[in-house]
Structure formats: C-alpha cells, structure tokens
Amino acid sequence: MTETTDETLAVPVAELRPSLEALLMVADEPLDEVALATATGYPTEEVVLALRGLAAEYTEQGRGFELRNVGGGWRYYTREEYAAVVEGFVLEGQQARMSQAALETLAVVAYKQPVSRARVSAIRGVNVDGVMRTLLTRGLVEEAGQDHETGANLYRTTSYFLERIGVTSLDELPELAPYLPDMDDLEDELAEMAAAPVATEPTPEPEPHHPHSPHSGDGTEPDGGTEPT
C-alpha cells in the first residue's frame, strides 16, 4: 500500500517570487494570498512572506511601481511620485470623466453607508437617482439590503472603490464625516419646516397714483434687479 504524503512543490523561494510576479502582471484585479498560493502550489505563509519581500525589494530599488495589499488583495501600482507622468500619458490632457455631482454623491455614500437614495438626496439637496445609477454601473457602489423601517434600498461602496482610492478599509478614509450633517438633525429640521405655517405678507394699502419719473427712487431695473446673463 502506497503511503500518502502532504506534497508541496519542491521549488526554492527564489522561484516563487518570479511566479508571483508573472501572476500579478496579468491579473486584472487584486489577488489575495489564498488565490496566489493555490496558483503557485506554495503554502499561504510562504506566499505572504514572498509578497512582502517583493514589496520591500521594489522600494529599496526605487522602482517606478510598487506592490501593495489593497482591498483585500495584492496588485501592482505606479508610485505616487510618478503620477504626473502617468496621468499625462493616460489622460492626454483630458479632464477626469467623473462629474462633480458623482464625486459628491460617492463621498456621501462612503461616509454615511449603508444609506438610501432618499437620504443621499436630502444631504446633497438634489435628486441623485441618475448619479447613483452611474456609480452602480461603474462598480463603485452596490446594494446593501433594505431599510427595515422604510423598505428603501440601501447602498454602500464596493471593494473596487477601496482599490481605486488606494486604501484597504473604510477606516482609512480621511476624517471628513464630522463635516457632513447628521441625518437625525436634518430630518428633524425638515419636519419642523414642513409643520411650520406659511407666512403671508399683509396686503398693502393702495397708494395714490403718480406719474412715474425716471429720476424717482422707487423704480426697479427692467429685469427685476437681476444681473444680466
């Protein structure tokens, strides 16, 4: 009877690193340690050590790219100090494709998630249905269940969002949340505004008619006082 043994690839670490480099070079998304270990046949612990070694080696050599663990997986990125060169080559002077409205909506979702479209609209003061569809299409936002009180769909950012901004978790986002209005306070304020009676101005007494003089001080500009466009 043949004894079964726990077989591993008898390849030195020097061969593991080139294998990892080849896999990461062709990957179109970050690869985690388990996937890389499965592909190379090495134990996960050795893969992690090799990845960290490669990342340190690239930094020591001053390469134009780096290996980072972002969004739960490893991937090559160009170094920040060469961003201007890369942007100039890729964009060729064009402006960023994402609109200001999309960026603002994405920021609200990132800091208030999970959040409904109605709440995002309340914070921004405009309807965000179209912008949210764009963010969903680009894979930056995804559905995150429903609000148990209203039944509205909730939304959150995706791992692709983390990858694009270069962080591993939402905890690494800048401290901007305190500057956004608290939803409870905002809803209370909106409720008070809705319940408040509409103020009406008293009807003025009719004034005696006098011919209008171009030199009188009571005239208004032809367009109602607005500046010409």
Side-chain angles (χ1 to χ4, degrees):
M1 182 176 180
T2 305
E3 294 183 1
T4 59
T5 58
D6 185 12
E7 296 183 357
T8 59
L9 295 180
V11 180
V13 176
E15 295 298 322
L16 173 58
R17 291 189 177 187
S19 299
L20 293 173
E21 289 177 324
L23 291 171
L24 293 168
M25 190 68 68
V26 299
D28 57 0
E29 62 182 3
L31 298 177
D32 60 29
E33 295 90 346
V34 175
L36 291 169
T38 301
T40 60
Y42 278 82
T44 304
E45 294 79 7
E46 292 187 30
V47 170
V48 172
L49 290 176
L51 290 168
R52 293 175 179 173
L54 285 172
E57 183 178 300
Y58 298 148
T59 299
E60 293 173 359
Q61 295 175 352
R63 308 294 285 271
F65 60 90
E66 60 183 335
L67 180 59
R68 296 190 310 192
N69 185 0
V70 174
W74 293 82
R75 191 174 190 179
Y76 286 120
Y77 291 86
T78 55
R79 291 197 183 276
E80 184 177 357
E81 50 265 43
Y82 304 108
V85 177
V86 176
E87 290 174 0
F89 175 75
V90 175
L91 300 179
E92 295 182 352
Q94 298 180 10
Q95 295 182 347
R97 295 179 181 273
M98 185 168 289
S99 66
Q100 184 66 27
L103 290 173
E104 292 176 2
T105 301
L106 184 58
V108 174
V109 175
Y111 284 101
K112 289 294 187 180
Q113 62 185 301
V115 64
S116 66
R117 292 190 185 188
R119 292 199 167 190
V120 177
S121 296
I123 292 176
R124 292 204 55 229
V126 294
N127 186 292
V128 299
D129 287 354
V131 177
M132 287 292 288
R133 284 194 293 269
T134 299
L135 296 176
L136 285 165
T137 301
R138 293 194 175 196
L140 297 170
V141 168
E142 64 185 0
E143 293 188 2
Q146 294 182 325
D147 188 301
H148 66 280
E149 294 181 357
T150 65
N153 289 333
L154 300 176
Y155 297 90
R156 65 189 176 196
T157 54
T158 63
S159 58
Y160 178 63
F161 165 76
L162 298 178
E163 174 193 340
R164 295 299 298 171
I165 66 174
V167 299
T168 58
S169 71
L170 295 172
D171 296 334
E172 297 180 37
L173 290 176
E175 293 293 333
L176 295 180
Y179 295 97
L180 293 175
D182 183 80
M183 285 309 306
D184 294 334
D185 295 341
L186 181 59
E187 289 172 348
D188 292 342
E189 182 177 346
L190 292 174
E192 292 176 2
M193 292 174 61
V198 178
T200 58
E201 296 182 356
T203 303
E205 293 292 333
E207 297 181 359
H209 175 72
H210 297 289
H212 177 69
S213 169
H215 300 291
S216 65
D218 298 330
T220 59
E221 296 180 81
D223 59 355
T226 58
E227 296 183 356
T229 57

